[in-house]
């Protein structure tokens, strides 16, 4: 049985939530996609204008493009107070729990967007107490004046 399921989300249209209680450190779902070389991702203008929501750095040679329907993990929303993180091992990426997650709780991780002039294009609706209103990585949130 999978420990996650797709559900309607309060943050965005859909998201993933825990289908049972999940312990901290548990691998929940693999983040799958196509492995592409850095050269390809630099050349491909698909990654130019939008934030790299689905593009993950694997190592200094390769990225992983997760922008595919079969990548269920792409449905996970950003949160300012996330309960998951995405970690790589070799050429594999896993979404793992960074805290105890109760059944039915929505899964989230920090999308890690850097702070730049366009940050207002990416509002955050995570609803956490610590929400800064925009999707910006935790280390840069102090720049946003609320
Ligand atoms: Zn937020």
């Amino acid at each position: 049985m999978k420990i996650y399921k797709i559900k309607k989300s309060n943050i965005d249209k859909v998201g993933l939530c825990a289908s049972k209680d999940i312990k901290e450190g548990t691998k929940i779902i693999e983040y799958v996609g196509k492995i592409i070389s850095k050269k390809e991702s630099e050349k491909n203008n698909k990654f130019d204008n939008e934030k790299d929501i689905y593009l993950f750095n694997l190592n200094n040679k390769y990225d992983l493009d997760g922008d595919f329907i079969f990548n269920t993990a792409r449905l996970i929303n950003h949160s300012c107070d996330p309960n998951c993180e995405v970690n790589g091992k070799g050429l594999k990426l896993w979404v793992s729990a960074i805290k105890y997650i109760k059944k039915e709780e929505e899964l989230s991780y920090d999308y890690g967007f850097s702070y730049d002039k366009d940050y207002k294009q990416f509002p955050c609706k995570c609803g956490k107490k610590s929400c800064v209103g925009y999707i910006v990585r935790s280390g840069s949130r102090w720049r946003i004046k609320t």
Side-chain angles (χ1 to χ4, degrees):
M1 185 188 128
K2 286 178 183 147
I3 57 175
Y4 62 85
K5 59 184 180 188
I6 297 170
K7 66 148 206 170
K8 272 184 145 174
S9 166
N10 298 324
I11 302 175
D12 205 345
K13 285 167 226 104
V14 290
L16 295 191
C17 76
S19 58
K20 58 180 248 181
D21 291 359
I22 298 173
K23 278 192 208 132
E24 183 182 340
T26 307
K27 283 175 166 180
I28 298 171
I29 179 173
E30 188 179 348
Y31 195 96
V32 289
K34 194 178 148 204
I35 294 167
I36 54 174
S37 69
K38 296 261 186 230
K39 269 190 195 146
E40 278 177 78
S41 61
E42 276 158 26
K43 269 194 303 197
N44 191 337
N45 56 16
K46 174 180 166 186
F47 304 114
D48 267 1
N49 300 317
E50 289 172 61
K51 295 271 183 174
D52 297 333
I53 302 180
Y54 305 116
L55 190 69
F56 276 88
N57 173 55
L58 291 172
N59 55 38
N60 54 15
K61 266 198 174 138
Y62 295 105
D63 289 329
L64 188 137
D65 176 8
D67 188 14
F68 298 97
I69 299 282
F70 61 80
N71 179 26
T72 308
R74 84 194 189 291
L75 298 174
I76 298 173
N77 289 306
H78 167 90
S79 168
C80 298
D81 183 15
N83 51 20
C84 294
E85 65 180 8
V86 183
N87 265 322
K89 203 176 178 202
L91 295 177
K92 293 214 177 253
L93 290 173
W94 280 89
V95 179
S96 307
I98 52 172
K99 50 178 85 164
Y100 189 83
I101 303 171
K102 283 205 200 95
K103 187 178 174 181
E104 299 300 327
E105 210 180 299
E106 177 159 1
L107 307 177
S108 59
Y109 61 84
D110 184 345
Y111 279 8
F113 290 179
S114 54
Y115 173 87
D116 62 35
K117 61 179 174 26
D118 298 325
Y119 78 90
K120 287 197 167 159
Q121 287 179 25
F122 304 95
C124 180
K125 300 185 198 93
C126 75
K128 301 283 182 181
K129 257 184 243 154
S130 58
C131 185
V132 292
Y134 299 98
I135 300 178
V136 172
R137 67 186 168 90
S138 61
S140 299
R141 283 180 204 144
W142 59 273
R143 294 167 183 260
I144 295 172
K145 295 176 187 82
T146 44

